Amino acid sequence: MPSFIARRFLYMLPILLVVTFIIFLLMYFQPGNAVDKLCGLACPKELRAQLIAHYGLNKPMLVQYFNWLKGVVTQLDFGYSTSYQGPALQALLGENRWLYTLLVLSASMLISWLIAVPIGIYSATHKYSIADHTFTLLGFLGLSIPNFILGLLFLWLVVGVFHLGSINHFFQVGGFLNPGLMGKPWNLTVVLNFLWHFLPPVFIIGAASMAAIIRYMRGSLLDVLGMEYVQTARAKGLRERVVIWKHAVRNAINPLISMLGFWVPYLMEGALIIAVVFNLPQIEKTFIQAIENRDNPVVMSGLFVFSVILLLGNLAADILLAISDPKIRYE
Amino acid sequence: MNETSAPATPQSQEQAQSPEEQVYQPTSQARLIWHRFLRHKLGVLGGVTIAFLVLIFLFAEFVSPYNYHKSHYAYPYVPPMLGRIHFDGLRPYVYGLIKKNVYVEYGGVRNRLPGVLRYAENRSQKYPIKFFVHGDKYQLFGFIPTDIHLFGTGEPPNSPGQFFLFGTDSQGYDIFSQTLFGGRVSLSIGPIVILISFLFGTLLGGFSGYLGGVADTLIQRFLEIFMSLPRLALLLAIAGILAHLGNIPAMVRYWSIVGVLALVNWAPLARVIRGQFLALRNSEYTQAAQAIGAGDLRVIFRHIMPNIMSYLVVAATLAVPDIIILESILSFLGYGIQDPLISWGMLLHSFEGSGFNFQMQFHAWLLLPAAFIVVTVLAFNFMGDALRDAVDPYTVAEVKEGAL
């Protein structure tokens, strides 16, 4: 197993190398350069030439790329962020933003599985009941309503319809905490307020994958329940609960795990757009702001970090699959 | 969907042989698919919805009561007048609008709430809603000059007798008219992007699957790299660069958005197509065609393509909603379509950023275009699901997941 993980991990490196090249190309071919930004439009010609030479912007493209790559590999140096007045990666990840992003991503994945798998099992074991039809319909809606609209809808309900924020200041929206509670030590109110701000985005981000998991879990379990070994288990007098959970579910869940890697990108896209809608202080929010401000080093480091998260997510999915599915040999 | 594929399927042979069916002509594959599709109520509903939307968006100038780009400065933030239609027998009419400021008392002082207006009805003025009414001039399909609109009050823009079905925005633009014109962009961009992605996907995926070997491996690694890029973030970064290029014509912007969307979307489609090619490359009829000396191109276009056409159509239909959503996200964030073109996502732009609280509280009707996004996406999903079942009820279930 460790050798499988190591090989799979090493396999990521060439992909990541090409990704850095694509990111570099994107910024290289962009009109205007860092010197224009530093020196302004009324820049004297000699100073401009001097600055360009100083930053090596007159060198061939590949040389520039390798210089940049050297900085990235040796010291994670993506350049200097003009709008944050500091190293780009620091600007992107700083102030616990990386923690929030990680928290939101993992929580939405966890919650969608914790809720969707039991619902899928219930739907399969109570096929064509009213609850099953309701869940199927809800699942279809969850898959079809884009999550930024789901987010807007939630905000509209809270702010425009029920006016929760004006009834009780506790129920303000946007950010991870009410402005008044920021920087206070953790107590019950702060924790509850954090959950009020944290859970709705997490549910909304997870909605699409939740719907998909319900659908696949139901289908997969229905397939398995028709198998002969389930019939055998029932025939030898096992309790229904044991038949379902021990014999059927454990086999039905495998195909879902293989799709885990497929859902990671969607989860990240959801987190990106929801961070904007809910004004959440995550990496994604800084990334969007950097695009707005043309802060290229931050945009580049953002693309790189997202690629790394994506690749690590796929890696985790592969490892989980290797653990859960005996058919996959990893020697 | 092609008739040449009919002999290859067992269904048509069975039908021709079974005694009840012998009174009928042998049915073509396309017709079989069509009949199976019609059995799906929701799929048909989705198809009809899309057809209806396409129709009203084609005639947007005629259906919309106003020129979507004409501002009614005197009437900003009018709430939807859907509930303010009164009936005189069967004849609908609206009352004239009276604009009122909103005041709040805070600490004993009465202050105007800035940016918020209230509209009352002036019961003494009745404005009948007429059909086929003369209004703003326009050119239908760009060359038939006329000024007839499906409905409206036919009053000049500063008259209180206006009919804003979905209300107006901060500049007094009619949201209903804007939604109709926005539909043109939002609905057209999906199919166009998918068409382009498919051309690329078929070319690369097809060659990859058909040739196999080193070419296949190389192309697959290439696709893998493409798919390990964060799609939306990359899209935003590129669109951000385009947005900062300065003033480019709106149509250039439209086509550049199309290009960018196609660029980040073709790789998964290429994978699906490659899988199909791989499966059919070793089929008997492909081998037979090769045995009688058919060239690669002939095998691809005459033998393999017709057989995967139906799969492609299904995969395409199911991929359209994704593009519509991506475009609306881009426009919502302000990196998509630009003035004078308009899209649904762009209409939601006022809810982006810290102003959303205010907008939600006082101008929630500006969210109405979002309903159109949801309906369109649902319609495409319903239709795609029904098509998938219709094309092949047994084996196509994996088409959407084929990108795995």
Side-chain angles (χ1 to χ4, degrees):
Chain A
M1 194 69 189
S3 84
F4 167 75
I5 296 175
R7 256 187 306 124
R8 189 61 188 66
F9 190 81
L10 286 178
Y11 181 67
M12 272 172 57
L13 294 180
I15 292 184
L16 213 52
L17 190 73
V18 182
V19 167
T20 58
F21 189 58
I22 293 174
I23 294 173
F24 176 80
L25 280 186
L26 197 65
M27 293 300 149
Y28 180 82
F29 283 115
Q30 179 172 357
N33 58 31
V35 170
D36 292 337
K37 205 167 175 180
L38 268 177
C39 197
L41 282 174
C43 195
K45 264 208 173 120
E46 293 112 54
L47 180 62
R48 206 184 122 87
Q50 227 175 345
L51 279 171
I52 283 182
H54 179 254
Y55 288 110
L57 294 178
N58 52 355
K59 298 213 173 95
M61 186 184 83
L62 279 178
V63 177
Q64 281 192 45
Y65 168 64
F66 282 114
N67 283 337
W68 176 75
L69 190 67
K70 205 171 81 187
V72 170
V73 173
T74 51
Q75 351 170 323
L76 285 176
D77 174 21
F78 283 88
Y80 181 80
S81 158
T82 40
S83 45
Y84 288 87
Q85 313 272 321
L89 200 65
Q90 183 76 35
L92 188 78
L93 306 178
E95 292 170 27
N96 286 338
R97 280 190 278 266
W98 64 275
L99 191 67
Y100 283 128
T101 293
L102 232 59
L103 212 60
V104 165
L105 281 177
S106 43
S108 36
M109 182 165 256
L110 202 70
I111 284 184
S112 56
W113 278 78
L114 284 182
I115 293 178
V117 168
I119 290 181
I121 293 171
Y122 183 88
S123 277
T125 48
H126 299 74
K127 200 165 70 161
Y128 304 134
S129 66
I130 294 172
D132 177 30
H133 284 304
T134 316
F135 287 134
T136 309
L137 185 75
L138 279 180
F140 213 95
L141 286 179
L143 270 179
S144 289
I145 302 182
N147 40 27
F148 84 102
I149 288 180
L150 221 51
L152 287 175
L153 218 60
F154 172 80
L155 291 177
W156 173 63
L157 283 179
V158 171
V159 178
V161 179
F162 296 112
H163 304 290
L164 287 182
S166 41
I167 293 169
N168 188 337
H169 279 294
F170 180 84
F171 293 110
Q172 288 176 354
V173 285
F176 277 124
L177 274 178
N178 282 355
L181 292 175
M182 271 180 212
K184 296 250 173 81
W186 290 91
N187 59 27
L188 189 65
T189 328
V190 178
V191 170
L192 286 179
N193 192 256
F194 175 74
L195 288 180
W196 159 252
H197 284 272
F198 178 73
L199 287 180
V202 163
F203 269 95
I204 290 165
I205 294 167
S209 48
M210 216 184 287
I213 295 169
I214 293 177
R215 214 166 151 178
Y216 291 122
M217 188 68 217
R218 179 180 181 274
S220 170
L221 188 57
L222 279 177
D223 282 351
V224 170
L225 283 178
M227 298 267 175
E228 276 161 4
Y229 62 81
V230 173
Q231 207 180 350
T232 311
R234 282 196 180 124
K236 71 181 182 188
L238 289 182
R239 256 178 278 145
E240 186 65 15
R241 201 192 320 156
V242 180
V243 175
I244 300 282
W245 285 92
K246 204 168 167 203
H247 291 255
V249 170
R250 285 186 68 169
N251 286 300
I253 214 162
N254 266 347
L256 272 93
I257 292 176
S258 69
M259 295 173 77
L260 220 143
F262 176 63
W263 285 324
V264 173
Y266 284 95
L267 219 57
M268 287 181 63
E269 288 183 4
L272 179 64
I273 184 76
I274 288 299
V276 179
V277 172
F278 280 79
N279 226 341
L280 303 175
Q282 297 177 171
I283 298 179
E284 286 89 344
K285 180 83 188 156
T286 321
F287 177 72
I288 301 270
Q289 274 167 354
I291 292 176
E292 188 92 54
N293 301 333
R294 304 193 65 178
D295 198 345
N296 284 342
V298 179
V299 175
M300 289 162 104
S301 60
L303 285 174
F304 181 78
V305 168
F306 291 141
S307 302
V308 170
I309 299 179
L310 201 61
L311 285 170
L312 284 179
N314 285 337
L315 176 72
D318 275 8
I319 292 172
L320 262 179
L321 186 67
I323 293 172
S324 72
D325 194 347
K327 274 181 262 176
I328 292 180
R329 265 176 286 151
Y330 44 81
E331 288 313 318
Chain B
M1 293 257 217
N2 197 303
E3 306 216 357
T4 50
S5 62
T9 57
Q11 290 108 316
S12 50
Q13 284 168 9
E14 266 170 37
Q15 276 188 354
Q17 283 158 6
S18 64
E20 309 93 81
E21 295 284 331
Q22 274 178 354
V23 281
Y24 301 109
Q25 289 291 312
T27 320
S28 76
Q29 181 74 353
R31 184 165 276 196
L32 275 175
I33 291 174
W34 177 242
H35 280 294
R36 279 197 296 257
F37 176 72
L38 286 183
R39 279 216 300 272
H40 280 261
K41 299 270 172 353
L42 279 176
V44 173
L45 182 73
V48 170
T49 310
I50 293 168
F52 175 72
L53 287 177
V54 166
L55 198 70
I56 62 169
F57 297 155
L58 269 180
F59 289 92
E61 287 100 340
F62 168 67
V63 179
S64 64
Y66 298 100
N67 176 348
Y68 78 101
H69 229 241
K70 198 166 90 184
S71 154
H72 300 80
Y73 292 109
Y75 298 103
Y77 287 137
V78 179
M81 291 172 74
L82 209 57
R84 292 195 183 187
I85 307 171
H86 304 271
F87 286 95
D88 203 2
L90 269 175
R91 248 176 272 150
Y93 65 91
V94 286
Y95 289 116
L97 293 166
I98 310 172
K99 184 158 65 175
K100 286 182 171 169
N101 289 326
V102 176
Y103 294 91
V104 280
E105 266 198 31
Y106 191 73
V109 188
R110 197 158 169 267
N111 277 322
R112 219 200 117 198
L113 197 58
V116 181
L117 293 163
R118 207 164 58 80
Y119 284 88
E121 293 177 318
N122 184 350
R123 298 266 164 176
S124 62
Q125 299 171 318
K126 266 190 193 179
Y127 295 93
I129 298 168
K130 298 172 210 147
F131 291 94
F132 301 105
V133 68
H134 293 277
D136 299 324
K137 284 193 171 57
Y138 64 89
Q139 298 203 314
L140 193 61
F141 305 127
F143 62 88
I144 309 170
T146 175
D147 64 348
I148 295 182
H149 294 259
L150 181 61
F151 63 91
T153 55
E155 295 287 321
N158 50 357
S159 144
Q162 303 292 338
F163 184 51
F164 303 118
L165 199 58
F166 288 178
T168 62
D169 66 0
S170 61
Q171 306 296 313
Y173 291 123
D174 179 40
I175 300 291
F176 180 68
S177 308
Q178 289 204 317
T179 308
L180 292 188
F181 280 89
R184 276 192 180 167
V185 168
S186 299
L187 210 62
S188 66
I189 217 160
I192 292 177
V193 168
I194 290 300
L195 201 69
I196 296 174
S197 313
F198 259 91
L199 286 182
F200 275 101
T202 315
L203 217 65
L204 231 69
F207 273 114
S208 180
Y210 184 75
L211 296 175
V214 183
D216 185 35
T217 315
L218 276 179
I219 294 175
Q220 284 314 302
R221 290 295 88 80
F222 183 63
L223 289 184
E224 214 161 287
I225 288 164
F226 238 88
M227 286 166 76
S228 59
L229 285 165
R231 188 177 65 154
L232 184 58
L234 187 70
L235 190 64
L236 281 170
I238 302 176
I241 294 172
L242 288 175
H244 290 304
L245 281 183
N247 270 331
I248 49 175
M251 278 321 279
V252 176
R253 186 72 175 278
Y254 175 89
W255 286 105
S256 59
I257 298 290
V258 165
V260 176
L261 283 170
L263 183 75
V264 297
N265 269 296
W266 67 274
L269 290 171
R271 278 233 151 154
V272 181
I273 295 162
R274 179 223 175 215
Q276 292 294 328
F277 264 86
L278 212 59
L280 291 185
R281 187 182 60 174
N282 297 322
S283 65
E284 283 90 356
Y285 60 83
T286 313
Q287 285 170 347
Q290 281 163 340
I292 57 171
D296 282 350
L297 284 178
R298 187 179 165 82
V299 172
I300 289 177
F301 286 106
R302 290 290 300 168
H303 297 274
I304 297 185
M305 280 304 276
N307 275 294
I308 65 167
M309 213 51 216
S310 46
Y311 294 81
L312 291 190
V313 169
V314 172
T317 315
L318 286 170
V320 165
D322 235 23
I323 308 293
I324 294 178
I325 294 171
L326 281 180
E327 185 278 322
S328 51
I329 288 177
L330 272 187
S331 299
F332 169 69
L333 294 176
Y335 297 118
I337 297 304
Q338 89 189 7
D339 229 31
L341 283 180
I342 201 163
S343 85
W344 291 332
M346 193 175 155
L347 289 172
L348 299 174
H349 183 55
S350 62
F351 293 96
E352 192 241 325
S354 49
F356 74 84
N357 240 312
F358 177 78
Q359 290 293 74
M360 295 273 178
Q361 197 145 10
F362 298 108
H363 310 125
W365 63 86
L366 296 179
L367 279 173
L368 272 169
F372 280 75
I373 300 178
V374 174
V375 167
T376 312
V377 168
L378 265 177
F380 270 104
N381 276 343
F382 282 142
M383 196 170 88
D385 269 13
L387 271 179
R388 177 170 65 189
D389 291 349
V391 161
D392 195 335
Y394 304 108
T395 55
V396 200
E398 297 90 31
V399 166
K400 196 169 188 180
E401 294 84 67
L404 292 181

